[in-house]
Amino acid sequence: MVESTQQTLSDNDSDVPANMKRFIPLGQLSFTFSKHFTDPRLENNPEVMSHLLHQLGLSPAIGFHDVFSIDDPELLTFVPRPAFALLLVFPVSDTYSRFRQREDDGKPEYTGSGPGEEVMWFKQTIGNACGLIGLLHAASNGPVRKFIDTDSDLAHLLDEAASLEPIQRADLLYESHALESAHQSAATKGDTVAPSADEKIDLHYVCFVKSSENNLWELDGRRKGPLKRGKLDVEEDVLSEKALDLGVRSFLKREEEAGGGELRFSLIALGQSFD
């Protein structure tokens, strides 16, 4: 059993213990300036992400899709609706780091588990695994759960995780050979050369989901717990105007207001497959 005192790792921390498990990063390291249009060279490859979840047991009827713009209604029509989850990848800037620290200061560590949880949240204790944690958050919340093969590795993992508190859930992920194998396969499948597991990465993944209570949640394994961002109407999904204002656009607004901050990002949405 992995010790329950594992620290939550920041993917770009230089003081990650040498003996801590690390995965090959799912994302690419370089990209160019983009404001409200996502950057295709910041690899958040929907095929790679879908492949990983399909390997674990998600039905091929569900998959990830590129979101090329969050402001152009015509481009948004290319994304199947409803969108069940959004996976945002962005560079970890000083602005974001300061905001995260201020928001987390004074908050207790989340200890939720069991049927009373509005969303399932996973604490990250594996280096370079924020992409994987984001995928698990996307697949374990909302209507997507009914598209998971009941006899699959993913179904068994989520069933076992449901009754565990976050530290024990983290141990479960840490020890899962199925997760490690699927991640390894996906990390070498993208359009770009995968960095090594020891390479310093400055990218981070955050997932947005809508709960059965119609709340928008931000799920990030490096925070102290799940973050409720606001109420959505019944018919609104995670790509609705209100959800984008509460979620993705709030990231961009902070960077823009900081002046010279990072406005680069990539976004994919989980929804019905086209095939």
Side-chain angles (χ1 to χ4, degrees):
M1 172 68 69
V2 179
E3 292 296 324
S4 294
T5 54
Q6 294 170 9
Q7 63 178 333
T8 300
L9 302 183
S10 174
D11 289 68
N12 61 332
D13 278 351
S14 58
D15 58 348
V16 172
N19 63 344
M20 181 62 68
K21 180 185 288 189
R22 290 177 179 268
F23 284 171
I24 297 173
L26 289 175
Q28 180 181 320
L29 299 180
S30 62
F31 43 86
T32 56
F33 177 83
S34 178
K35 191 173 181 181
H36 295 300
F37 284 79
T38 62
D39 191 330
R41 291 194 292 170
L42 197 170
E43 188 171 3
N44 195 7
N45 190 316
E47 292 184 5
V48 170
M49 301 306 190
S50 298
H51 171 77
L52 197 160
L53 287 182
H54 293 160
Q55 274 193 303
L56 289 171
L58 182 66
S59 167
I62 300 294
F64 280 101
H65 307 270
D66 281 311
V67 179
F68 294 110
S69 171
I70 57 173
D71 294 318
D72 187 326
E74 185 174 344
L75 289 177
L76 282 171
T77 62
F78 289 98
V79 182
R81 309 294 284 272
F84 301 128
L86 293 181
L87 195 60
L88 172 70
V89 58
F90 57 95
V92 179
S93 67
D94 290 340
T95 300
Y96 172 72
S97 296
R98 287 192 297 268
F99 168 79
R100 184 179 68 180
Q101 183 173 359
R102 285 196 306 270
E103 191 173 42
D104 283 351
D105 278 351
K107 284 188 176 181
E109 292 284 344
Y110 179 72
T111 58
S113 65
E117 268 193 307
E118 187 174 337
V119 289
M120 182 177 284
W121 178 77
F122 293 95
K123 185 181 184 73
Q124 182 184 344
T125 58
I126 303 172
N128 294 332
C130 60
L132 174 64
I133 299 298
L135 291 179
L136 288 177
H137 283 145
S140 60
N141 290 287
V144 178
R145 288 290 293 267
K146 65 184 180 183
F147 291 96
I148 297 174
D149 182 345
T150 56
D151 194 34
S152 66
D153 289 326
L154 183 56
H156 296 319
L157 183 77
L158 297 183
D159 287 345
E160 188 172 353
S163 62
L164 302 177
E165 292 191 0
I167 290 294
Q168 286 70 45
R169 279 184 192 166
D171 291 344
L172 180 68
L173 302 189
Y174 196 92
E175 296 172 347
S176 172
H177 296 297
L179 279 185
E180 186 165 1
S181 176
H183 188 283
Q184 173 78 12
S185 173
T188 57
K189 187 178 174 63
D191 297 328
T192 57
V193 177
S196 74
D198 295 321
E199 192 156 354
K200 186 175 179 180
I201 305 300
D202 69 347
L203 303 180
H204 188 52
Y205 291 77
V206 168
C207 182
F208 293 96
V209 299
K210 180 183 179 181
S211 72
S212 60
E213 302 294 323
N214 297 318
N215 290 310
L216 180 72
W217 289 84
E218 179 183 326
L219 304 177
D220 178 347
R222 296 190 311 183
R223 304 296 293 268
K224 287 189 173 181
L227 298 159
K228 187 189 296 185
R229 291 309 188 196
K231 196 80 171 179
L232 300 177
D233 291 336
V234 174
E235 69 277 6
E236 291 178 314
D237 67 0
V238 294
L239 262 181
S240 65
E241 284 296 303
K242 187 174 182 180
L244 289 172
D245 286 342
L246 292 169
V248 176
R249 289 189 184 122
S250 68
F251 276 75
L252 299 179
K253 184 178 180 181
R254 280 195 300 272
E255 299 292 342
E256 197 166 16
E257 290 177 346
E262 294 283 3
L263 292 173
R264 300 167 291 178
F265 69 103
S266 180
L267 189 68
I268 56 176
L270 187 63
Q272 295 278 350
S273 298
F274 288 125
D275 298 335

